[in-house]
Amino acid sequence: MTDAQANAATSDVLAGLDAWRSLPIKQQPSWDDLDEVRAVTAELSKLPPLVFAGEVDMLKTRLARAARGDAFLLQGGDCAETFDGATADKIRNRVKTILQMAVVLTYGASMPVVKMGRMAGQFAKPRSSDSETRGDITLPAYRGDIVNGYDFTPESRRANPQRMVQGYHTSASTLNLIRAFTQGGFADLREVHSWNKGFAENPANKRYEKLAGEIDKAIKFMAAAGANFDELTRVEFFASHEGLLMDYERPLTRIDSRTGLAYDTSTHFVWIGERTRELDGAHVDFFSRIQNPIGVKLGPSTTPDDMLRLIDKLDPNREPGRLTFITRMGAGKIRDALPPLLEAAQSSDALPLWITDPMHGNGMTTPNGFKTRRFDDVVDEVKGFFEAHRAVGTFPGGLHVELTGDDVTECLGGAEMIDENTLATRYESLCDPRLNHKQSLELAFLVAEELAAR
Ligand code: PEP
Ligand code: MN
């Protein structure tokens, strides 16, 4: 390609990145000062990328492995991260929880696990209503810290573009700490025991401690036999969030100087939510034009035809690792809703990665007003996911969960048997209820068993 041809190709890519602006779009804030939005997006477009395109490509090769059935994806973190919640303790506990779950899965199923946080940028939320009413006051709905504040006052609920700059910086500091933990020795497999420290004693952590002992023994044996474990010091850990807020994602999308192609450098992996995945809408158009691996949430109303058309639009070149379907059907529906989709994909020439989100189809509100989920329903949906894949002969390639490393009481059940009256003790989520540390580990043991029994 001549320089002139390369320049022309780049300007085509750039023009395409703004095509979404003339398409129907959902779930965006109603900004009241468009000049301010323009000033902020100009500022964001000059800030350094948060991730490097080469890392994004590397993740794609890892996801391609999972799509082929040779690895498993573990993706977890808050429903909505908050600016205040970006503390060292909370970030460390979440990373530890994901590392522990990954060890349980790796060891239990003898399978490499791709580790990914819903972290370092999971700040924008789709809402079922644009407004919220309390008593006789109606205000704009909370759309996540990157848009407005949770406090129920007109000032706080105003969509404030400056929050996008704060979102960028909070993502940067979170990612920096994650990188420090995962590159600096904290995530070394020889530290398996230390990740369990600081969590109150309970059956899941006891079971984990036993497994960590077995791993320790295996490592010591191999080391004595001459193996070099220095490679274990560094662990790959990827970031992801829902690609929702277009005035944030667009300015962070950059042309890679190596290839002239567009990468969303706000994170490694972005997914399109259940509410914004319409085929001719802005989100599908925009994310079809970037190189990152992308996910699409699929709810129970998805038809095989919807799914096949999403494949054609988002993965026209059938690129390994490019497309992940995150199914969130609900425990009562997955056994009917998933198999037709798996069959249709299997008869096509595409090989998407299938992962289960057993959280979002299982929401409920208790009589005392808490938004919650039953741990048993989560488990049941995971089982239904494995059953469906077993029946069709496709690979159940991953787990997507809302979790925290803290001892919150947001989901019902689990070994601690959290009940409706206990929910109030420590309910901290501003959005959806998360599995706490123990429930997360318990789920990992269950998934490891399912995976090993496949
Ligand atoms: C989410 O992942 O927090 C979410 C809103 O999910 P969904 O798009 O599946 O409803
Ligand atoms: Mn959620």
Side-chain angles (χ1 to χ4, degrees):
M1 213 192 288
T2 65
D3 279 0
Q5 281 168 329
N7 288 342
T10 302
S11 34
D12 282 353
V13 171
L14 280 171
L17 291 178
D18 287 307
W20 63 271
R21 295 184 192 277
S22 56
L23 297 173
I25 188 161
K26 288 186 179 157
Q27 297 286 346
Q28 303 305 293
S30 351
W31 307 115
D32 55 21
D33 183 345
L34 293 180
D35 285 339
E36 200 183 1
V37 175
R38 267 188 288 275
V40 166
T41 53
E43 184 180 348
L44 287 172
S45 68
K46 293 195 189 79
L47 290 168
L50 292 174
V51 301
F52 166 53
E55 297 174 315
V56 171
D57 292 342
M58 176 116 64
L59 171 61
K60 213 186 275 177
T61 68
R62 304 296 183 259
L63 296 177
R65 256 175 109 179
R68 287 197 309 267
D70 297 327
F72 191 79
L73 171 63
L74 173 63
Q75 185 178 21
D78 289 329
C79 176
E81 290 180 290
T82 59
F83 295 161
D84 281 351
T87 65
D89 279 356
K90 283 189 195 293
I91 294 167
R92 187 191 53 234
N93 281 349
R94 243 174 302 147
V95 170
K96 269 164 67 170
T97 304
I98 295 171
L99 290 174
Q100 286 188 293
M101 292 174 79
V103 158
V104 167
L105 288 162
T106 310
Y107 194 72
S110 305
M111 178 153 291
V113 173
V114 183
K115 294 167 270 294
M116 193 190 283
R118 277 177 72 114
M119 290 178 80
Q122 175 53 22
F123 293 118
K125 297 310 299 174
R127 303 317 305 249
S128 45
S129 165
D130 283 341
S131 61
E132 180 182 347
T133 301
R134 294 190 195 171
D136 31 3
I137 301 175
T138 296
L139 293 173
Y142 171 62
R143 289 192 170 276
D145 273 14
I146 201 164
V147 173
N148 57 1
Y150 186 73
D151 286 350
F152 196 69
T153 64
E155 306 74 60
S156 152
R157 287 295 171 93
R158 168 184 177 256
N160 177 359
Q162 298 300 335
R163 282 177 168 269
M164 293 194 284
V165 179
Q166 203 182 344
Y168 169 89
H169 289 294
T170 311
S171 299
S173 58
T174 303
L175 197 55
N176 185 56
L177 190 59
I178 294 175
R179 290 193 196 278
F181 283 147
T182 56
Q183 303 300 306
F186 176 80
D188 190 319
L189 204 51
R190 288 165 291 190
E191 296 292 321
V192 272
H193 280 293
S194 67
W195 307 334
N196 210 24
K197 296 221 171 86
F199 295 121
E201 209 165 275
N202 67 85
N205 288 78
K206 272 202 188 132
R207 191 170 170 193
Y208 174 85
E209 198 57 39
K210 192 162 161 275
L211 182 140
E214 289 173 30
I215 292 174
D216 233 15
K217 248 170 127 174
I219 289 180
K220 286 198 178 113
F221 167 72
M222 290 299 291
N228 179 357
F229 286 103
D230 291 344
E231 275 298 304
L232 298 180
T233 314
R234 280 190 273 279
V235 162
E236 283 182 359
F237 195 106
F238 299 97
S240 70
H241 61 251
E242 176 170 350
L244 181 69
L245 182 60
M246 292 306 302
D247 289 320
Y248 181 74
E249 303 301 337
R250 173 62 189 90
L252 281 164
T253 296
R254 309 288 168 78
I255 303 298
D256 174 26
S257 57
R258 306 170 309 166
T259 56
L261 297 170
Y263 285 75
D264 185 343
T265 65
S266 72
T267 192
H268 299 112
F269 177 99
V270 271
W271 74 86
I272 304 174
E274 166 74 356
R275 294 174 184 78
T276 49
R277 63 167 168 78
E278 61 285 323
L279 208 62
D280 300 315
H283 289 84
V284 169
D285 184 88
F286 180 75
F287 292 107
S288 75
R289 297 171 191 271
I290 60 162
Q291 297 302 307
N292 308 53
I294 50 180
V296 186
K297 292 281 199 96
L298 298 180
S301 65
T302 315
T303 65
D305 194 50
D306 294 337
M307 182 207 63
L308 293 170
R309 290 202 286 169
L310 281 166
I311 294 177
D312 280 340
K313 188 98 187 219
L314 293 168
D315 183 21
N317 302 323
R318 306 296 191 258
E319 197 188 347
R322 158 73 171 168
L323 185 58
T324 298
F325 283 130
I326 308 168
T327 63
R328 29 90 83 223
M329 301 295 181
K333 297 191 176 146
I334 185 159
R335 290 168 180 83
D336 295 324
L338 186 55
L341 302 183
L342 301 180
E343 279 157 12
Q346 195 182 40
S347 338
S348 78
D349 59 353
L351 188 61
L353 168 61
W354 293 97
I355 73 174
T356 175
D357 163 1
M359 314 293 291
H360 287 90
N362 294 311
M364 56 180 274
T365 304
T366 61
N368 53 351
F370 285 99
K371 221 173 142 181
T372 188
R373 293 157 173 156
R374 282 196 196 89
F375 186 70
D376 285 353
D377 291 339
V378 170
V379 166
D380 192 32
E381 176 148 4
V382 166
K383 289 191 166 157
F385 174 75
F386 278 93
E387 281 168 34
H389 282 280
R390 204 173 295 131
V392 178
T394 40
F395 180 63
L399 174 69
H400 177 119
V401 270
E402 289 184 340
L403 59 79
T404 163
D406 302 325
D407 286 329
V408 299
T409 55
E410 297 173 4
C411 291
L412 295 168
E416 296 166 285
M417 296 188 281
I418 294 171
D419 62 19
E420 289 184 12
N421 299 319
T422 322
L423 287 179
T425 332
R426 195 168 165 196
Y427 194 104
E428 295 177 2
S429 177
L430 300 189
C431 215
D432 292 334
R434 302 158 296 175
L435 298 179
N436 64 23
H437 173 74
K438 294 162 207 161
Q439 291 168 329
S440 304
L441 263 190
E442 243 182 292
L443 187 64
F445 279 111
L446 179 116
V447 172
E449 280 162 14
E450 290 283 340
L451 206 49
R454 224 172 28 92

